[in-house]
Amino acid sequence: MNKTSQKPFGKFRAFLLPIHSHECKKFVPMFLIFFLIAFIYNLLRASKDTLIVTAASSGAEAIPFIKVWFMLPMAFLMTYVFTRISNRFSKERSFYLMVSIFLGFFFLFTFVLFPNRDHLHPHTFADTVQSYLPLGCKGFVAIFRNWIFSLFYVMSELWSAIIFTVVFWGFANEVTSMREAKRFYGLFSLGANISGIVAGKVILVLSNNLFFPSLPYGTTPWEQYIFFLNATILIAGLAVIALFRVLYKRTLAFEKVSPTKKQPKMKMSLRNNFRYLLKSRYLLSIALIVLAYNVSINLVEVVWKNQVKQLYPDPSDFTYFMGQVMICMGLLATCTSFFITGFCLRRFSWTTNAVIAPLVMLITGGAFFFVLLCDYYGFSFSQALLGSSSLLLSVILGTVQNCFARASKYTLFDATKELAFVPLSKESKWRGKASIDGVGSRLGKSGGSLLYQVLLMGFVTVSATIPIVALLFFGVIGVWITSVVSLGKKFSLLSSEEEKEETIRDAAPIPAKPAMEKPI
C-alpha cells in the first residue's frame, strides 16, 4: 500500500497515538530503547550529585570545577573515541561498543573502585594541597580528593551526551522521515519522561535505608544502595543492546537505499566535524541554542543544589529528596508529552514550539532568583508572609524551576532540536550531532562552570555569587530566544523542501513485477 493512501487517523488516535500499525515494528523497539537509556540516565543523575555534593570536604562548589577540568576533556576524549569507532565499524557495532564502554565502567566502579574508595582517595595529600591554596579552590581540590566519585559523575553525564544524544538520536534521525519524526518524537519524549517517574520510584525504594546483612556487599545501607543501583543499570544496559539488535535488523527494510548496495563510508574526525560546523550557519544556530540551554540550566542548578545541601546534608536524605524531585519532574513531563508535545509539534510552527523552553526557564528562574536576591539584600519576606524560612522557600522554588525546566527540555526542547537535524543531509546530521551534542553541550555546561570558578575565586561561596549569576542567567536567556527565532526561519525553508520531496517519492508508482513467462 502506498504511504499516501494510508487511512487517516481519527481525532482521538491522532491526538494520543498517531502511529500506523505497519510502523509498530520500527516504533516500538525505538520507544523501548529510548525509555531504557533515559531510565539509566535518571538513575545516574540523582546519584552522581549525591556522591559529589555530600562527599568528604566537598559540596556544590565542586560541580563547576568538575565540569571544566574533568568533564570537558573527557567529552573530547569520548567524542574522539566515538568518531574512531564509527570510522572503523558499522553503525550497529559502533552502538554496541559505545554502550559496552559505559557498562564496563559502571561494573568496575561497583565491584572495584567504590569498595576500595577509602584506600584510593588521597585525603592526606588533598589536605596538604588545600593548605597552600585559597579557600575558593576548595571545589578544585575536591575533584581529585574524591576522584572516584568525580569519574562516576563524568561518566554519568557522558551517558546522556554520547549514548542518549549522539548515538541514539543520530541513528533515529537517519532512519526517520520528517513525517514520522513529527509523530514519533513527541512519543519518544513521553517514554523518557515515564522513565523519570520509574527511576524516581526505584531511587526512593533503594534509598530508604534498606540493609541486607546476608548480602556480601557493603556495611551500610548507602553502600548497598550503590550496589543495587548499578546492578539495575547494568541489566537495563544489556536490554538496550538486545533491543537495538532487533531494531537494526528490522529497520533495514525502511532505509531508502537497499542494504545490498554498498555506500561510501563517511570518515569522521573531531577536526573535520568542527570545521564542517563552523561553515554552516544552520548548524551554528543549533549549537548556540544547545550552548544557551546548558549554560542557563547550569547557572541555576549549582545555586539550587547548594540550597538543597544546606537543607539536607545527609547523603540518604539528599538522595531521597532528589528521587522525589525526579518523580514530580517525570509526572509533569509525562503529562506535557502525552497531552501537549505531540499536538503542538503537529499544529504549530517550529519556532513557536522551540521558544517555549526558554520562556519557561525565564519565568521559573526569575521567581527563584527573585527570592534569593531578596534574602541576599536583607528583604526576606518568606517568614512574615508565608510562615517558612527563606531557605525552604528557595529550595521549593528551585525545585519548581528544575521540574518545569527539565520537563520542557525533555519534551519540546529535545523534540524541536532533533527535528532541526531531520531535513539536513546525512553528513550534516552525523557531523553536527557529534560536534554539537558530543562536545558542544559539554562546552555549554563547562562555560557556566567556568563563570562560577571565576566568581568563586573572589567570593569563595556559591551564595555570595547570586547577584552576578542572576544577571548572567537573564543575559543567556536573551541570546537563546534570539537564536531560536533566527533558526526557525531557516528551518521553515528546509522542512518545506523536505516534505515536498517525500510527497513526490510517496506518490511515485510502485514498479510492477515482470510477468512470468508461461511454459511452452
Side-chain angles (χ1 to χ4, degrees):
M1 182 175 65
N2 200 329
K3 291 180 182 179
T4 57
S5 63
Q6 290 173 345
K7 184 179 178 180
F9 300 113
K11 290 185 178 180
F12 184 78
R13 177 83 178 271
F15 183 76
L16 295 180
L17 191 65
I19 306 297
H20 295 287
S21 57
H22 71 271
E23 295 173 328
C24 288
K25 63 181 180 179
K26 178 180 182 180
F27 170 77
V28 173
M30 291 179 74
F31 179 87
L32 292 175
I33 291 172
F34 200 84
F35 171 86
L36 289 172
I37 292 176
F39 172 69
I40 291 173
Y41 175 63
N42 283 315
L43 290 178
L44 293 169
R45 188 152 53 88
S47 302
K48 69 180 176 62
D49 290 330
T50 304
L51 286 171
I52 290 297
V53 174
T54 64
S57 301
S58 184
E61 63 272 6
I63 295 177
F65 289 92
I66 291 177
K67 290 182 177 179
V68 172
W69 303 106
F70 211 159
M71 177 77 69
L72 191 58
M74 285 293 290
F76 275 101
L77 176 61
M78 291 303 297
T79 305
Y80 174 77
V81 170
F82 170 70
T83 58
R84 299 298 296 177
I85 289 177
S86 299
N87 290 335
R88 187 168 183 179
F89 301 99
S90 65
K91 289 184 176 62
E92 182 185 10
R93 290 189 177 182
S94 297
F95 185 91
Y96 301 149
L97 288 171
M98 292 305 299
V99 173
S100 298
I101 289 173
F102 284 88
L103 295 183
F105 167 77
F106 294 127
F107 181 87
L108 182 67
F109 176 87
T110 306
F111 296 102
V112 178
L113 298 178
F114 185 77
N116 298 289
R117 64 192 181 281
D118 292 333
H119 303 290
L120 296 174
H121 283 164
H123 291 293
T124 303
F125 178 71
D127 290 336
T128 303
V129 173
Q130 182 64 71
S131 64
Y132 290 100
L133 296 176
L135 288 176
C137 294
K138 179 183 176 182
F140 177 76
V141 176
I143 295 178
F144 65 88
R145 177 193 296 276
N146 303 290
W147 69 270
I148 294 175
F149 298 160
S150 300
L151 188 57
F152 183 88
Y153 186 100
V154 169
M155 293 300 286
S156 300
E157 282 283 324
L158 290 179
W159 173 268
S160 172
I162 302 298
I163 303 300
F164 196 13
T165 310
V166 176
V167 179
F168 176 78
W169 272 119
F171 175 80
N173 290 337
E174 185 174 347
V175 301
T176 308
S177 66
M178 177 62 73
R179 282 204 205 95
E180 290 174 333
K182 289 185 176 181
R183 292 181 289 111
F184 285 13
Y185 287 4
L187 294 174
F188 286 167
S189 298
L190 176 64
N193 297 323
I194 293 175
S195 74
I197 301 174
V198 178
K201 288 289 186 182
V202 171
I203 289 172
L204 290 183
V205 172
L206 295 180
S207 62
N208 198 23
N209 291 320
L210 297 177
F211 184 73
F212 301 93
S214 59
L215 184 66
Y217 188 98
T219 57
T220 64
W222 172 247
E223 292 177 356
Q224 290 195 352
Y225 164 83
I226 295 296
F227 169 77
F228 287 117
L229 174 83
N230 285 277
T232 305
I233 289 170
L234 292 172
I235 293 171
L238 293 175
V240 166
I241 292 175
L243 283 167
F244 188 83
R245 180 164 181 79
V246 173
L247 171 65
Y248 194 86
K249 297 303 180 183
R250 292 185 177 182
T251 51
L252 287 178
F254 292 88
E255 292 183 351
K256 298 180 180 66
V257 183
S258 172
T260 58
K261 184 179 179 180
K262 278 284 183 182
Q263 302 178 47
K265 190 168 181 64
M266 180 179 62
K267 294 289 184 181
M268 293 203 301
S269 68
L270 280 177
R271 182 185 302 173
N272 291 337
N273 289 349
F274 279 106
R275 186 180 299 163
Y276 193 90
L277 173 66
L278 294 174
K279 291 180 180 179
S280 171
R281 292 185 178 180
Y282 188 91
L283 289 175
L284 280 174
S285 297
I286 300 177
L288 195 57
I289 290 172
V290 172
L291 285 170
Y293 166 77
N294 284 285
V295 170
S296 59
I297 195 68
N298 186 66
L299 289 173
V300 178
E301 279 195 339
V302 172
V303 178
W304 173 60
K305 289 172 185 176
N306 182 66
Q307 300 294 101
V308 174
K309 185 194 176 181
Q310 294 179 43
L311 193 62
Y312 301 106
D314 183 75
S316 296
D317 294 338
F318 189 99
T319 304
Y320 191 84
F321 175 79
M322 296 303 290
Q324 291 178 315
V325 172
M326 195 171 296
I327 292 175
C328 294
M329 187 188 305
L331 288 171
L332 178 63
T334 299
C335 293
T336 303
S337 295
F338 200 68
F339 296 106
I340 298 176
T341 304
F343 173 78
C344 289
L345 289 176
R346 295 187 295 273
R347 178 63 63 89
F348 302 115
S349 68
W350 185 92
T351 304
T352 301
N353 289 305
V355 81
I356 292 176
L359 290 179
V360 168
M361 186 84 76
L362 177 65
I363 295 170
T364 57
F368 174 64
F369 279 114
F370 174 77
V371 171
L372 290 175
L373 288 172
C374 286
D375 185 61
Y376 182 86
Y377 289 109
F379 301 113
S380 181
F381 59 89
S382 57
Q383 187 66 42
L385 297 180
L386 303 176
S388 63
S389 66
S390 58
L391 176 61
L392 178 60
L393 182 60
S394 65
V395 169
I396 292 173
L397 287 176
T399 302
V400 171
Q401 190 281 331
N402 197 261
C403 287
F404 275 90
R406 290 287 183 178
S408 64
K409 193 267 182 187
Y410 296 144
T411 52
L412 288 172
F413 178 85
D414 281 346
T416 52
K417 176 174 70 72
E418 298 305 329
L419 271 174
F421 283 104
V422 172
L424 298 177
S425 65
K426 178 181 177 181
E427 183 178 11
S428 295
K429 289 176 184 178
W430 279 100
R431 292 190 186 279
K433 292 292 291 180
S435 54
I436 294 173
D437 291 329
V439 176
S441 62
R442 301 305 104 186
L443 281 173
K445 291 190 175 183
S446 298
S449 299
L450 188 60
L451 292 173
Y452 264 115
Q453 290 182 41
V454 174
L455 294 175
L456 286 172
M457 293 299 292
F459 294 92
V460 180
T461 64
V462 173
S463 300
T465 65
I466 289 174
I468 300 177
V469 170
L471 185 63
L472 292 171
F473 171 78
F474 292 119
V476 171
I477 296 297
V479 173
W480 185 356
I481 294 175
T482 304
S483 301
V484 166
V485 175
S486 175
L487 180 60
K489 297 176 183 178
K490 303 170 187 174
F491 175 80
S492 297
L493 295 174
L494 285 178
S495 60
S496 60
E497 295 175 0
E498 173 77 8
E499 290 182 343
K500 286 179 182 178
E501 292 178 2
E502 289 180 9
T503 302
I504 294 173
R505 286 196 302 267
D506 293 342
I510 301 174
K513 294 181 179 180
M516 295 182 65
E517 297 182 1
K518 295 182 180 180
I520 300 175

